[in-house]
Amino acid sequence: MSQPDHLKPISAPSLGGTFPLPGTSHNLNRLGYGAMQLAGPHVFGPPSDRPAALAVLHEAIAAGVNHIDTSDFYGPHVTNQIIREALHPYPADLTIVTKVGARRGDDGSWIMDASRQGLIDSVHDNLRNLALDALDVVNLRVGGVSAPTPGSIAEPFSVLAELQQQGLIRHLGISNVTPEQLAEAQAIAPVVCVQNLYNLAHRTDDAFVDALAQQGIAFVPFFPLGGFTPIQSSELSAIAASLDATPMQVALAWLLHRSPNILLIPGTSSVAHLRENLSAANLQLSPETLNSLDTIANEQKR
Ligand SMILES: NC(=O)c1ccc[n+]([C@@H]2O[C@H](COP(=O)([O-])OP(=O)(O)OC[C@H]3O[C@@H](n4cnc5c(N)ncnc54)[C@H](OP(=O)(O)O)[C@@H]3O)[C@@H](O)[C@H]2O)c1
């Protein structure tokens, strides 16, 4: 019996097709990798198994991943240092996207810091720990984790636009933002991507995803699998079983089907999970299956 495509070994052209970051030369495979899980527990300190973390990155590149999402506040510094150790000098087609706007306390706490000096320091931390002269894409990360916080982002975004003018940043994105904050940022400098919380079970940004698609801007959902506690749903498990797939593969395939401007950065510290996640690009979902998956989102809204 032949294997279904999503169970076969992956190859680069199968990573969900590509999406170009607008106005740039960065053409990203739609299935990428989020590096946050490479740091230690609670994204603080070193991982217990550094060789395993390096192996995940080597496997990602071997599988054709050309988009890695990171931040210097993962660890802090640890995740970027692992990326550098594993991959520097970087493949020519690799786009590393980082984010600034927070720092870590000595106790591992997350401290929002969009001050001018905080942003400048964060950009330099990223440059140093990734061993780069310029960062491909930097997201200004504002707001809370579960939802954006309305209010002006003009001041911190202008600081990043200045650093872009200085040649330290090539392109800008924003994270945890509202459509109004996007419009405000766009009046200052072009925005190539938006990174907000979005997945099968959390669809507050449905209209925003569509609006960004119309503008040709990438939408990069964080927590695409549900985050530290991945999505659990009996309906999802049943659908996955009927497709000979895993629930995580179906959750990722749903995002790929949802809109062509969605770029995925599922996070994992495991080579096996990485392979499973990348193979989701080969999973075709029928209109009937997509309808059934909508019920999961509707249940969450109730
Ligand atoms: N902008 C922001 O505010 C923000 C916030 C959070 C995250 N992010 C970015 O988004 C990326 C993705 O988010 P995330 O890693 O937090 O969440 P996620 O991708 O939704 O899920 C990661 C979790 O799922 C598990 N997992 C991954 N693949 C799996 C599989 N095939 N089967 C079972 N479990 C699996 C991981 O554990 P294992 O390690 O055991 O696989 C981990 O616990 C991060 O790496 C980061 O770059 C951005």
Side-chain angles (χ1 to χ4, degrees), residues 200-201 203 291 293-302:
L200 189 51
R203 295 177 54 175
N291 275 341
L293 289 169
D294 271 342
T295 59
I296 294 171
N298 291 334
E299 268 175 22
Q300 299 284 324
K301 283 182 198 153
R302 265 186 235 138

Side-chain angles (χ1 to χ4, degrees), residues 94-144:
L94 177 64
T95 299
I96 298 179
V97 178
T98 190
K99 61 188 82 66
V100 296
R103 59 190 164 81
R104 305 298 290 277
D106 292 341
D107 57 353
S109 54
W110 299 80
I111 302 166
M112 295 306 291
D113 183 3
S115 66
R116 180 180 179 81
Q117 197 55 49
L119 295 173
I120 293 171
D121 289 348
S122 294
V123 165
H124 284 282
D125 285 346
N126 277 282
L127 288 167
R128 186 178 60 258
N129 287 312
L130 289 168
L132 288 169
D133 296 328
L135 301 168
D136 290 329
V137 183
V138 175
N139 281 312
L140 173 65
R141 198 246 178 250
V142 290

